[in-house]
Amino acid sequence: MSEEVTSTSFDSHLDALGHADRRRLLLALLDASTEGGLPVEIDYLASDAAEVPLQVSMHHVHLPKLDDYGFVDANLDRDTVTTGPRFDEIRPLLEMLDANRDRLP
């Protein structure tokens, strides 16, 4: 992490979930951590942003943000991501989103 975060707020959780690619990554990590399939490969995720390649936006925007919050640990050399030291803080919100995928827009 570039900056040590001592605690995360609900606003931090919402900010982390504020982009479809970050949500997709965090939900993939939730699934992988439950099934023992860590790490998650960045190429595995599909992006809604056709104009910006997923790896570029992940490397320069999304992973740094999630890493600063402590929700992920990224290995950019291997293009893989694992859960970070604060992942369990956002886990209940991710589980709620996952359980209600069919009811949410």
Side-chain angles (χ1 to χ4, degrees):
M1 277 190 285
S2 59
E3 291 181 24
E4 189 67 30
V5 178
T6 57
S7 67
T8 55
S9 67
F10 188 64
D11 288 339
S12 302
H13 295 133
L14 293 178
D15 185 40
L17 295 168
H19 191 278
D21 289 336
R22 290 194 298 269
R23 284 192 302 277
R24 204 170 282 119
L25 172 61
L26 290 168
L27 287 168
L29 284 170
L30 176 68
D31 290 342
S33 67
T34 323
E35 298 172 7
L38 291 175
V40 170
E41 294 181 16
I42 295 171
D43 322 9
Y44 168 76
L45 306 167
S47 176
D48 289 337
E51 70 280 358
V52 179
L54 177 62
Q55 284 188 324
V56 173
S57 64
M58 276 294 177
H59 283 251
H60 296 287
V61 179
H62 305 306
L63 289 175
K65 179 181 290 274
L66 295 174
D67 189 47
D68 284 347
Y69 286 138
F71 299 144
V72 303
D73 279 329
N75 182 333
L76 299 180
D77 294 332
R78 293 189 180 172
D79 289 329
T80 59
V81 182
T82 57
T83 57
R86 297 194 178 282
F87 186 81
D88 285 339
E89 293 178 19
I90 199 169
R91 181 183 294 272
L93 187 55
L94 292 170
E95 289 171 343
M96 183 187 70
L97 290 173
D98 189 43
N100 291 288
R101 283 183 195 219
D102 58 330
R103 298 176 62 195
L104 296 170

